[in-house]
Amino acid sequence: MRKGLMVGVLGVALALGGCVQGIARSRVQAALTNAGLPQPMAECMATRMVDHLTIKQLRKLEALQGPKRSAMDYALAVQRVGDPEVIEVTMTAAGACASHMGALGGLLR
């Protein structure tokens, strides 16, 4: 009975963790899209970023405001967050997604 309870608790914890990560990914994706990044790029980056940043760090990114007309504008805004890990993860995600999508030239306008 005790072993069954432990397996059940573990299963619930894993399910909730996946749910929380899905919510975080959708919020980050929305923040990136609102910042002016194309939807496919925002989706790709959000997927990578939620795996490497804490909720607190993701909230810092979500709080970025102001007009951003390009990925470069967004990159400059992220640097103002002042968290080296946030900057590194964001730039790595942007580079990987741009490379994956073959769209680096269009993103750096």
Side-chain angles (χ1 to χ4, degrees):
M1 174 71 179
R2 186 176 178 151
K3 187 174 181 180
L5 180 62
M6 293 294 284
V7 170
V9 169
L10 181 59
V12 169
L14 290 173
L16 289 176
C19 182
V20 169
Q21 189 171 20
I23 291 168
R25 185 174 34 255
S26 67
R27 286 182 63 174
V28 171
Q29 181 179 337
L32 292 169
T33 303
N34 291 339
L37 295 176
Q39 201 279 330
M41 181 69 166
E43 184 177 339
C44 178
M45 287 178 63
T47 299
R48 294 171 184 273
M49 292 166 69
V50 297
D51 291 339
H52 299 288
L53 296 175
T54 66
I55 295 297
K56 183 178 178 180
Q57 290 171 318
L58 292 170
R59 285 191 179 137
K60 287 179 185 180
L61 290 174
E62 194 175 34
L64 293 176
Q65 296 181 7
K68 295 157 197 77
R69 294 167 294 284
S70 70
M72 290 303 287
D73 289 339
Y74 186 74
L76 292 172
V78 170
Q79 289 180 348
R80 289 192 297 270
V81 168
D83 183 324
E85 186 175 14
V86 170
I87 295 166
E88 179 183 350
V89 168
T90 303
M91 298 310 148
T92 300
C97 291
S99 175
H100 175 73
M101 298 169 72
L104 187 58
L107 293 173
L108 298 179
R109 294 186 251 139

